[in-house]
Amino acid sequence: MLHNGEATLLRLGEPASPVPAPVAALPLAYNADRGNMNTATNQASRWLFPGRRAGQPARPDHLSALLGEIGIPVAAARGAAIRQQLLELPAPVLADALGYHDKTTSRLLRENGGAWSRYAAGDHTRSPAGWAPHPLTDG
C-alpha cells in the first residue's frame, strides 16, 4: 500500500493500481492499526498484511483462515470474483492473467450465462499474411 497524501496505490503487481478515494479509506485505516507490527522486524513493513518473517507478506492460508473466522467463505468469494471478471473480460484473457486453463474459464463463462463469441484469441498485433488495407476512395 502506497499513500502520498493525495493518491493511494495498491501494488499487486507492476504497475501499482490506484485505489479510489472512497475505498482507499478502508485499507488506510487498516494499515494504521495492523496486527503483527510489534516485532522489531515488522515495524516499518509496507506490506498490507505483513507476515511473521521480516520483509515477507502473510501466507495465503493464514489470510484464508482469518477471512473464515469473520464469516467470509473464501472459495465462494473467489468463485464469485472470477465469474464477475468473466462478464467483463474474454475467458482466454482471464485464463492467461490468472493462470487458469482456458477451458475452465470458458466453462465458468457458460455457466454464468456470458458470451464472448466475437472474441478472437491470438496475437492481434500483426496483420495476417497477404492482408493489405483497402485504399480509401472518394464516393
Side-chain angles (χ1 to χ4, degrees):
M1 176 70 66
L2 307 168
H3 182 70
N4 68 2
E6 294 179 20
T8 302
L9 303 171
L10 182 62
R11 181 172 294 155
L12 301 173
E14 290 299 329
S17 301
V19 181
V23 177
L26 294 171
L28 288 173
Y30 171 79
N31 205 25
D33 191 33
R34 292 177 289 175
N36 198 25
M37 298 301 290
N38 293 330
T39 63
T41 57
N42 272 341
Q43 289 179 347
S45 177
R46 291 187 356 179
W47 289 104
L48 186 58
F49 301 105
R52 294 181 183 199
R53 292 182 175 217
Q56 297 295 312
R59 293 186 341 261
D61 59 325
H62 177 69
L63 291 175
S64 179
L66 291 175
L67 289 170
E69 288 176 12
I70 62 172
I72 297 174
V74 178
R78 179 182 174 129
I82 291 168
R83 283 176 171 80
Q84 179 61 40
Q85 285 298 307
L86 283 168
L87 294 175
E88 300 171 15
L89 295 169
V93 172
L94 191 62
D96 186 47
L98 297 178
Y100 280 77
H101 193 279
D102 61 343
K103 289 184 180 180
T104 302
T105 54
S106 294
R107 178 182 51 81
L108 291 171
L109 178 64
R110 283 191 308 277
E111 290 173 1
N112 206 27
W116 280 91
S117 60
R118 293 178 178 240
Y119 176 76
D123 184 2
H124 299 282
T125 60
R126 298 179 300 156
S127 298
W131 179 85
H134 291 286
L136 296 175
T137 59
D138 292 333

